[in-house]
Amino acid sequence: MSAVSNYQQILAQIAEICAKCGRDPEEITLLSVSKTYSASSVLEVYEGGGRDFGENKVQELCDKSGQLPQDIRWHMIGHLQRNKVKYIVDKVSLIHSVDSVRLAAEIEKEAAKKNVEVPILLEVNVAGEESKFGLAPEEVLTTAKQIADFAHVKIRGLMTIAPYVVNSEENRQYFRFLRQLSVDIKSENIDNISMDILSMGMTGDYDVAIEEGATILRVGTGIFGERHYD
């Protein structure tokens, strides 16, 4: 099947899952993770209605954003190095992977130079995997309070990369935990922080993520097919 057929099929599945668990599919953004795929693959999904695309690498995001329609909303979902921030602050609609005050401070500095406001998510390593980036759950509130003081950075919610599992049910605990964490932070009523975005769920487990409150699903192989790394 083509990428655009896969995209449409996943949208239909999202609507089906939402109907079963009493959610509105309009609350959910299907983010097509286009890392390593060509600009022409992105354009195919764009022409089928997709407007949100996620990239892991700054260089790839910059290259594609220059070649593709200007109304695409680019999301930075990979680990972001501080020395690369300046290249993307005015190109992204959301940075999913903020995992330190130092990184947020760099985003603030570069955003102030370009006079833009940058929406971010705090990345949480809910499962405590050593191979993954992200804040430990107990660090999230303190980090959020420090970042809330920045004028050009806006915390919009949380993101997690759950473990790779064959049975999506195994990740329910992590999605549920992230949702509860967002509820707890929201109840603090901190200025400049909203918790309206939960970026969680990928190709193998987005069904459970929807049931547990995800608002952004990051789907790559489910749309574009298996990745071919150089």
Side-chain angles (χ1 to χ4, degrees), residues 81-127:
Q81 293 168 299
R82 296 199 307 283
N83 63 349
K84 301 277 180 72
V85 166
K86 59 188 174 213
Y87 301 114
I88 63 161
V89 284
D90 55 349
K91 293 182 175 69
V92 289
S93 65
L94 185 63
I95 298 174
H96 291 231
S97 47
V98 175
D99 59 1
S100 69
V101 177
R102 287 175 75 198
L103 175 57
E106 190 65 28
I107 296 169
E108 168 65 24
K109 184 180 90 177
E110 295 300 334
K113 282 183 195 170
K114 295 189 177 173
N115 195 28
V116 292
E117 186 183 84
V118 183
I120 67 164
L121 304 179
L122 298 180
E123 181 174 358
V124 188
N125 187 350
V126 177

Side-chain angles (χ1 to χ4, degrees), residues 11 14 18 23-30 210 214-217:
L11 283 179
I14 290 168
C18 284
R23 290 192 64 194
D24 179 356
E26 292 295 314
E27 297 169 4
I28 296 171
T29 299
L30 175 53
I210 292 169
T215 65
I216 297 181
L217 311 172

Side-chain angles (χ1 to χ4, degrees), residues 1-9 41 44-49 223:
M1 275 170 69
S2 67
V4 70
S5 308
N6 291 336
Y7 177 81
Q8 300 291 358
Q9 190 174 29
S41 299
E44 187 191 335
V45 174
Y46 173 88
E47 286 170 350
I223 292 172

Side-chain angles (χ1 to χ4, degrees), residues 120-122 143-144 147-148 153-157 192-195:
I120 67 164
L121 304 179
L122 298 180
T143 303
I147 295 171
V153 176
K154 174 82 178 165
I155 298 176
R156 295 287 311 279
N192 200 31
I193 294 180
S194 61
M195 282 284 137

Side-chain angles (χ1 to χ4, degrees), residues 120-209:
I120 67 164
L121 304 179
L122 298 180
E123 181 174 358
V124 188
N125 187 350
V126 177
E129 293 182 280
E130 284 185 15
S131 61
K132 301 255 173 81
F133 292 102
L135 293 156
E138 62 274 13
E139 299 172 322
V140 177
L141 182 58
T142 312
T143 303
K145 284 177 175 172
Q146 289 174 272
I147 295 171
D149 293 334
F150 297 147
H152 297 82
V153 176
K154 174 82 178 165
I155 298 176
R156 295 287 311 279
L158 306 176
M159 179 269 239
T160 197
I161 301 172
Y164 174 77
V165 292
V166 176
N167 176 6
S168 59
E169 199 57 48
E170 291 173 35
N171 279 338
R172 187 179 295 278
Q173 58 180 321
Y174 303 121
F175 299 146
R176 188 168 286 173
F177 182 93
L178 194 74
R179 179 178 168 84
Q180 188 55 52
L181 184 59
S182 79
V183 168
D184 294 346
I185 293 170
K186 189 175 184 175
S187 71
E188 298 271 335
N189 291 317
I190 306 160
D191 285 346
N192 200 31
I193 294 180
S194 61
M195 282 284 137
D196 51 351
I197 297 177
L198 277 180
S199 171
M200 59 188 197
M202 295 161 70
T203 298
D205 55 17
Y206 66 78
D207 55 338
V208 173

